Amino acid sequence: MKELKKEDISQEVFDLYDDYAHSRIDRRQFLNKLSTYAIGGVTVMTLMSFLMPDYKSKVQIPQNDSRLVSEYITYQSPKGGGKIKALLSRPANANGKLPGIVVVHENRGLNPHIEDVGRRAALAGFVSIAPDALTPLGGYPGNDDDGRALQSKRGRDEMLEDFIAAYEYLTASPQCTGKIGVVGFCFGGSISNLMAVKVPGLSAAVPFYGGQPPIDLVPNIKAPLMLHYAGLDTRVNEGWPAYEAALKANGKPYKAYIYPDVNHGFHNDTTPRYDKEAAELAWERTTAFFKENLL
């Protein structure tokens, strides 16, 4: 049997995976529905394996990259989960203080992909902190299924406090200038939007395909926004028109990009939803935006 490619998979399968990845259906329902598309010699388990993240071979910046100093630290989140573990990264050749970036994970904890993104942010010239909101429950468990189950046991508002505490950790760090932005993906995108309305000192926010904040809180936003949306992501995108109208009505600075014909999660290079062209363009725009607003 030939090796599966992204182009071999129907959009319905990607939509089904989105339902599974966001816990709208459980594993049994996912497998049952996936069987509909197991045709032409392609088994359910082949499809399942193809859709699952590949963390081992997709790392762009390894933990021991000599260009970085990357280490796990623990910081205090008194309004959230208490002590929170995070990956702290910065360029090895940095002289003096650097602006900071809080990197917010998806709905499954600090997995290897988000650690990789944290290192990418540091390599762009920042000190980055990538917290694990699953720390109070033992931390990222090593796989995304269990990670999603654990994260569902924590309240969003409490986890939001953990990421706000990461911002505060950077503001007090001798490594950081105090100019700090946030970038997040999916759940992390919604947290990035919420940090924009909750943290007056935030210098920039970049949500990737994240849920919008309550419209009545938009007047509180002080930070410039850059928003990335996937063209095929109807679930998240349905909230964008009202959000954009509120941003315009309140004179808030923002840039928004909708990448056509790509799926939710297009920046995550560990699954077949990844779109190389859109992901690289979005990340290039993101780092340029941070440099514009944090340097």
Side-chain angles (χ1 to χ4, degrees), residues 35 73 98 138 151 178 180 252 268 276 284:
S35 65
I73 57 100
L98 297 171
Q151 190 157 321
I180 299 163
K252 302 302 179 181
N268 187 331
K276 186 175 188 294
E284 179 183 323

Side-chain angles (χ1 to χ4, degrees), residues 41-96:
V42 177
T43 68
V44 170
M45 295 316 297
T46 298
L47 277 174
M48 180 78 163
S49 177
F50 179 73
L51 292 167
M52 293 300 103
D54 174 11
Y55 292 136
K56 289 186 178 180
S57 68
K58 300 296 185 180
V59 171
Q60 293 188 23
I61 314 294
Q63 177 78 3
N64 61 354
D65 192 298
S66 61
R67 296 170 295 175
L68 297 174
V69 176
S70 193
E71 59 187 344
Y72 294 105
I73 57 100
T74 301
Y75 66 91
Q76 297 294 326
S77 177
K79 296 180 182 178
K83 291 183 177 180
I84 301 296
K85 177 183 176 181
L87 182 67
L88 187 71
S89 305
R90 66 186 185 278
N93 63 354
N95 293 316

Side-chain angles (χ1 to χ4, degrees), residues 19 27 44 68 86 101 114-115 125 136 155 163 172 192 225 251 259 290:
D19 285 340
R27 184 181 179 89
V44 170
L68 297 174
I101 297 177
I114 297 299
E115 291 190 354
F163 294 103
S192 299
L225 302 172
Y259 299 83
F290 280 139

Side-chain angles (χ1 to χ4, degrees), residues 175-288:
Q175 300 176 19
C176 184
T177 63
K179 296 277 284 184
I180 299 163
V182 61
V183 61
F185 306 85
C186 185
F187 162 81
S190 66
I191 291 293
S192 299
N193 274 317
L194 288 170
M195 285 181 66
V197 302
K198 294 284 188 178
V199 183
L202 192 70
S203 295
V206 184
F208 275 73
Y209 28 84
Q212 298 79 17
I215 298 304
D216 62 334
L217 295 180
V218 169
N220 297 340
I221 294 175
K222 301 288 191 268
L225 302 172
M226 174 174 281
L227 306 109
H228 300 292
Y229 290 105
L232 299 175
D233 188 6
T234 56
R235 174 178 57 87
V236 171
N237 294 356
E238 66 181 5
W240 170 236
Y243 189 21
E244 182 175 36
L247 290 170
K248 288 181 176 179
N250 287 277
K252 302 302 179 181
Y254 75 94
K255 298 178 182 179
Y257 300 99
I258 299 178
Y259 299 83
D261 302 321
V262 302
N263 281 288
H264 181 98
F266 72 83
H267 186 263
N268 187 331
D269 57 352
T270 70
T271 83
R273 295 186 299 175
Y274 173 63
D275 186 281
K276 186 175 188 294
E277 181 178 356
E280 290 181 350
L281 177 57
W283 188 248
E284 179 183 323
R285 286 169 167 166
T286 296
T287 54

Side-chain angles (χ1 to χ4, degrees), residues 106-128:
E106 301 149 308
N107 66 336
R108 60 212 71 170
L110 183 60
N111 61 28
H113 169 65
I114 297 299
E115 291 190 354
D116 192 13
V117 173
R119 292 189 291 269
R120 295 178 206 173
L123 203 58
F126 304 92
V127 54
S128 71

Side-chain angles (χ1 to χ4, degrees), residues 1 4 8 10 13 34-44 46-47:
M1 184 182 69
L4 280 180
D8 299 326
S10 70
V13 171
L34 201 59
S35 65
T36 304
Y37 304 95
I39 57 177
V42 177
T43 68
V44 170
T46 298
L47 277 174

